[in-house]
Amino acid sequence: MIDANWNEIPDPQVWKATDLEGSRRMEWLATGRLPSGAVTYMLGPEGIGKSLFLVWLTAIITTGREFKAFGIPQRPPSNVVLVLTEDDWATIARPRLETAGADLDYVRVICTDSDGSGSPEFPRDIELVEGAAEDAALVIVDAWADTLPSNLSVKDPQQARQALHPWKEVASRTGVSILLSGHTNREKGGNVRNAYGMTAELRKKARMTLLAQPDPDEDGVLVIGPEKSNVTAPVVASRFRIESVQVFEPSDDGDGTVPRMDWAGDAEQSARELFVAAAAAESGEVGDDRDDIDAWLKAFLSENPDCRQKANDVFTAADAAGYSRDKAKRAKARLNVDAVREGSCWYWVLPVEGSTSCTAHGR
């Protein structure tokens, strides 16, 4: 276990609701994608270019450029705080930032030495982040798992929540948007929750999560979009193309190019839909099969006035209709069916069109 006393925190007390801060609208760094004053967790397979997206984002924020397609309005240039554990500063991180057009005067890097080495450890060094975040719009930690102490296991739900809590406190107190990155595991299947692997608890604790994945139809293209959000309606995923830019003179050691990520337009699916479709294609489930099971599940859940069925009843009925349990689960993800626990039973609840669930209507 780790020491949770990472900062001087006043003792809790009982407040009248009217003595607390008044209601205010949600603020966004990137509308529908990166909330301000909150933690977002981004995950994706290793080696697909997630770090290039973080560089692209840093360039946008530090120059104050407008990028409406990704929900970023024009605003004054803002500081971005970087914690980088995977990329060398002088040969990888800095050339990429410069190639992307980032204003390095607005970039703060937390490390031990001037060559960028020496990663901080959290929550031990969280006060450094809080101090830097006071005048920043965004904090990026790439990759977050590398900054955890060796005696902490985020596979354990309690320790995972303990590890993430200081970040939530910093975000809440400073209003900064915090983006933590990590890798998906190698488990196959269409249940996106399984992709979080050892960091599955982060999906529960983070206000939003972003899912990065390769575009199955075009090499060199990355698709990034919200996978889970409890603060806004879903938005479509975004496509980014990785280009090579000539920066240095070619030599025997390399061609002198630096990769840069460029916007390539909106995707036709959400990040979750794309994930499920890719898993289905890999397992041999074709489009007609998906349409059939999706239509069947929607009809089955709609048989009840409250648009819900016990999970076990869904599996039994699916088997009788000739569909496997895994196919039913993939259809559940594609249809954004909610799983709700009542007592000892799990129910599948069909969302009502417009992104609210049947339970939200009190049915």
Side-chain angles (χ1 to χ4, degrees):
M1 301 292 288
I2 59 175
D3 184 6
N5 298 320
W6 58 273
N7 205 347
E8 291 296 327
I9 302 176
D11 292 333
Q13 58 182 299
V14 178
W15 297 76
K16 285 182 61 178
T18 52
D19 290 337
L20 296 175
E21 290 187 8
S23 301
R24 62 177 184 270
R25 64 184 299 169
M26 186 78 188
E27 295 185 358
W28 295 89
L29 185 66
T31 303
R33 296 165 178 88
L34 289 170
S36 297
V39 176
T40 299
Y41 183 69
M42 183 180 78
L43 74 160
E46 187 174 359
I48 63 171
K50 297 189 303 296
S51 295
L52 289 173
F53 165 74
L54 301 177
V55 169
W56 175 86
L57 188 61
T58 299
I60 298 293
I61 301 304
T62 58
T63 56
R65 302 204 315 264
E66 177 184 69
F67 212 96
K68 287 185 177 180
F70 200 73
I72 300 176
Q74 185 173 7
R75 53 166 67 95
S78 300
N79 287 330
V80 174
V81 180
L82 300 179
V83 178
L84 306 175
T85 67
E86 295 191 327
D87 296 329
D88 179 76
W89 170 253
T91 62
I92 298 179
R94 180 163 182 162
R96 290 180 176 182
L97 287 164
E98 291 173 337
T99 302
D103 188 337
L104 296 189
D105 285 335
Y106 288 92
V107 175
R108 306 287 182 263
V109 183
I110 298 179
C111 57
T112 302
D113 300 312
S114 61
D115 62 359
S117 63
S119 298
E121 181 181 293
F122 301 114
R124 184 195 67 192
D125 298 320
I126 198 71
E127 290 184 3
L128 285 174
V129 175
E130 183 157 13
E134 288 291 346
D135 62 349
L138 175 65
V139 173
I140 291 174
V141 184
D142 183 29
W144 178 68
D146 293 340
T147 68
L148 298 174
S150 59
N151 65 335
L152 183 144
S153 172
V154 290
K155 292 182 179 179
D156 177 77
Q158 183 177 358
Q159 293 187 55
R161 289 192 291 269
Q162 189 178 5
L164 194 62
H165 183 72
W167 292 101
K168 294 189 67 176
E169 290 290 303
V170 169
S172 178
R173 284 202 286 264
T174 64
V176 73
S177 179
I178 293 178
L179 180 55
L180 312 177
S181 80
H183 303 313
T184 52
N185 65 7
R186 292 178 172 83
E187 181 175 334
K188 304 295 183 181
N191 189 340
V192 69
R193 290 173 176 81
N194 294 337
Y196 287 76
M198 72 174 186
T199 52
E201 284 299 316
L202 298 186
R203 188 181 187 278
K204 303 175 185 177
K205 194 74 171 175
R207 181 165 288 178
M208 287 198 69
T209 63
L210 297 177
L211 179 60
Q213 53 199 313
D215 189 316
D217 300 321
E218 188 174 351
D219 291 339
V221 172
L222 194 64
V223 182
I224 299 176
E227 189 282 308
K228 170 242 178 177
S229 172
N230 56 15
V231 291
T232 186
V235 298
V236 297
S238 304
R239 301 174 72 248
F240 296 88
R241 181 172 289 104
I242 300 174
E243 307 283 358
S244 293
V245 180
Q246 196 72 45
V247 175
F248 304 106
E249 289 291 330
S251 69
D252 293 339
D253 296 326
D255 62 5
T257 63
V258 173
R260 183 184 68 199
M261 182 165 280
D262 294 328
W263 173 261
D266 289 334
E268 295 181 354
Q269 298 171 293
S270 70
R272 181 185 294 186
E273 289 169 340
L274 184 66
F275 180 92
V276 172
E282 187 174 349
S283 67
E285 187 179 339
V286 297
D288 290 343
D289 294 335
R290 296 196 299 270
D291 293 341
D292 289 345
I293 179 65
D294 289 2
W296 175 86
L297 180 58
K298 190 172 184 179
F300 182 70
L301 295 177
S302 299
E303 288 179 0
N304 282 343
D306 56 0
C307 306
R308 64 169 61 195
Q309 297 277 5
K310 289 182 179 179
N312 287 337
D313 291 345
V314 173
F315 295 138
T316 300
D319 182 68
Y323 301 116
S324 68
R325 177 184 287 252
D326 286 340
K327 283 188 176 182
K329 288 181 177 180
R330 290 196 290 270
K332 170 180 175 288
R334 286 192 295 269
L335 296 173
N336 292 321
V337 171
D338 294 326
V340 179
R341 184 169 184 171
E342 294 185 2
S344 61
C345 293
W346 282 95
Y347 290 84
W348 285 14
V349 184
L350 183 68
V352 171
E353 203 165 319
S355 78
T356 55
S357 68
C358 296
T359 53
H361 293 279
R363 294 190 290 170

